[in-house]
């Protein structure tokens, strides 16, 4: 087994013969990496116009999620002053 960090981080060990749990962990890792989506997408031909639209949607979604995460982190920060003091 290689000692490369990326390989070790993606290795799933079966403990006590519990293959179902290891399979669940493997599926979760593949979903996080986007491997399952890529395989599903490459199963059929995707027209170039649909591919452009999908990539544009993914970019917009990523920007929106990053911005909303930034705003939520800003509002949920621990050093935030009370907006209504004395209430």
């Amino acid at each position: 087994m290689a000692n490369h960090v990326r390989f070790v981080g993606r290795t799933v060990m079966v403990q006590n013969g519990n293959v179902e749990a290891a399979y669940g962990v493997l599926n979760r890792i593949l979903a996080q990496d986007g491997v399952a989506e890529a395989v599903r997408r490459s199963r059929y031909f995707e027209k170039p116009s649909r591919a452009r639209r999908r990539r544009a949607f993914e970019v917009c979604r990523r920007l929106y999620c990053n911005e909303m995460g930034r705003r939520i982190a800003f509002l949920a920060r621990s050093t935030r002053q009370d907006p209504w003091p004395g209430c």
Side-chain angles (χ1 to χ4, degrees), residues 6 8 14-15 19-20 22 26 29 33 42 68-69 82 85 87:
R6 187 163 170 84
V8 171
V14 178
Q15 297 177 350
V19 178
E20 290 82 17
L26 177 66
I29 289 172
D33 286 348
S42 67
M68 288 307 290
D82 187 13
C87 292

Side-chain angles (χ1 to χ4, degrees), residues 3-36:
N3 290 330
H4 194 270
V5 175
R6 187 163 170 84
F7 180 77
V8 171
R10 299 298 188 253
T11 303
V12 177
M13 304 299 280
V14 178
Q15 297 177 350
N16 300 330
N18 194 355
V19 178
E20 290 82 17
Y23 185 69
V25 171
L26 177 66
N27 278 338
R28 191 166 39 252
I29 289 172
L30 293 177
Q32 287 174 351
D33 286 348
V35 174

Side-chain angles (χ1 to χ4, degrees), residues 38-83:
V39 168
R40 222 174 281 125
R41 262 198 324 266
S42 67
R43 187 172 294 162
Y44 301 105
F45 176 73
E46 186 177 22
K47 291 173 68 173
S49 60
R50 285 201 179 253
R52 280 192 303 270
R53 193 175 350 164
R54 177 184 50 80
R55 285 194 301 265
F57 174 77
E58 290 171 356
V59 167
C60 290
R61 182 176 180 202
R62 187 171 37 247
L63 289 173
Y64 176 80
C65 289
N66 287 342
E67 179 64 18
M68 288 307 290
R70 190 185 66 77
R71 288 181 182 195
I72 290 171
F74 179 74
L75 291 176
R77 68 191 187 277
S78 61
T79 59
R80 182 174 180 218
Q81 294 178 352
D82 187 13

